[in-house]
Amino acid sequence: MGDINIFLLLLIGANAIVSYKGFNDMIFFRKYEFHIGSIKAGEQYRMITSAFLHGDMMHLVFNMLTLYFFAPIVIYSFGVLPLFLIYFGSLVAGSLLTLYFHKNDYSYRAIGASGAVVGVLYSAILLNPNMELRLFFAIPIPAYLFGIGYLLYSIYGMKAKSDNIGHTAHFGGAIAGYLITLAREPNMIYDNTLMVVLLAIPIVLLFILSRSGKL
């Protein structure tokens, strides 16, 4: 448990420190946020650094609380290093998918660890599909409904384009967390087919909407 706490505290601490710096230093924030024009100009480091910036304290707290509650499930099942792989694999996948979807929008900007966190969330739900969450700390809800709802809200965020939160990255992260977990535990496809299919629904919906030009 000590290793789990240390790893999570380091990861959460890194997000908190970088985000706090960004809250108070707009030059720093602009230098390290995800920005298509700058990335295409050669600043690919933004695809990583942007995931440690957040729009405001609520955005940061929500992401870090989600990570804190779901990461131990992944660590318990796979270990610390696989969690690291899922987190940063999901982070990179989220940035790559964002770059793909917005490659022609040179003004597009985004920030947030949500892609990485959603990857961990999806992995944890696959590993423990029967767990229950307390929405707003009071309303019981199955974890898989929370995961699906989170991605459906992300589709709304992508369509609305009313903030610079990396909604597209949520899907890249979910895809990475989903595939990495199934690659490590392929028996889930047979043992937990319903959950595997349910969690794939919003991912498939995203690509249907994209192909039909509705995003």
Side-chain angles (χ1 to χ4, degrees):
M1 183 63 72
D3 290 340
I4 294 175
N5 289 335
I6 290 172
F7 179 81
L8 287 181
L9 286 175
L10 287 174
L11 202 51
I12 291 170
N15 275 277
I17 291 169
V18 175
S19 292
Y20 183 76
K21 173 68 172 174
F23 294 157
N24 297 282
D25 186 341
M26 187 52 62
I27 295 175
F28 177 88
F29 187 92
R30 291 302 185 199
K31 180 176 176 58
Y32 293 106
E33 69 178 347
F34 189 101
H35 179 241
I36 294 290
S38 298
I39 291 170
K40 288 207 165 189
E43 297 180 359
Q44 284 82 11
Y45 64 84
R46 291 172 177 263
M47 297 177 70
I48 304 296
T49 58
S50 59
F52 290 88
L53 291 167
H54 288 81
D56 52 38
M57 187 60 71
M58 185 63 67
H59 185 203
L60 171 66
V61 169
F62 180 80
N63 273 340
M64 293 304 100
L65 278 177
T66 303
L67 178 64
Y68 182 81
F69 287 124
F70 286 97
I73 296 169
V74 179
I75 294 173
Y76 178 79
S77 299
F78 291 151
V80 171
L81 288 180
L83 172 67
F84 182 91
L85 171 64
I86 291 170
Y87 185 91
F88 284 96
S90 298
L91 186 161
V92 171
S95 289
L96 289 173
L97 191 68
T98 303
L99 185 62
Y100 171 76
F101 267 89
H102 301 280
K103 59 182 177 292
N104 296 320
D105 182 359
Y106 280 64
S107 64
Y108 180 85
R109 303 173 184 272
I111 38 83
S114 302
V117 172
V118 172
V120 173
L121 168 69
Y122 249 55
S123 179
I125 293 171
L126 280 170
L127 291 167
N128 189 2
N130 296 319
M131 64 180 162
E132 187 176 84
L133 303 179
R134 292 281 173 174
L135 193 63
F136 305 117
F137 301 101
I139 306 170
I141 179 174
Y144 71 89
L145 286 182
F146 175 79
I148 293 170
Y150 194 97
L151 288 193
L152 292 177
Y153 168 74
S154 296
I155 290 178
Y156 167 78
M158 291 170 65
K159 289 174 68 68
K161 298 179 181 177
S162 59
D163 54 40
N164 68 337
I165 293 172
H167 295 288
T168 310
H170 298 174
F171 280 93
I175 292 168
Y178 182 86
L179 293 179
I180 293 170
T181 303
L182 290 180
R184 292 188 63 89
E185 293 288 342
N187 59 296
M188 289 181 181
I189 297 172
Y190 308 101
D191 298 340
N192 198 14
T193 305
L194 178 60
M195 193 58 55
V196 170
V197 171
L198 284 175
L199 290 175
I201 289 174
I203 296 172
V204 173
L205 178 60
L206 169 75
F207 286 100
I208 291 175
L209 292 173
S210 175
R211 291 294 294 271
S212 64
K214 294 181 179 179
L215 281 179

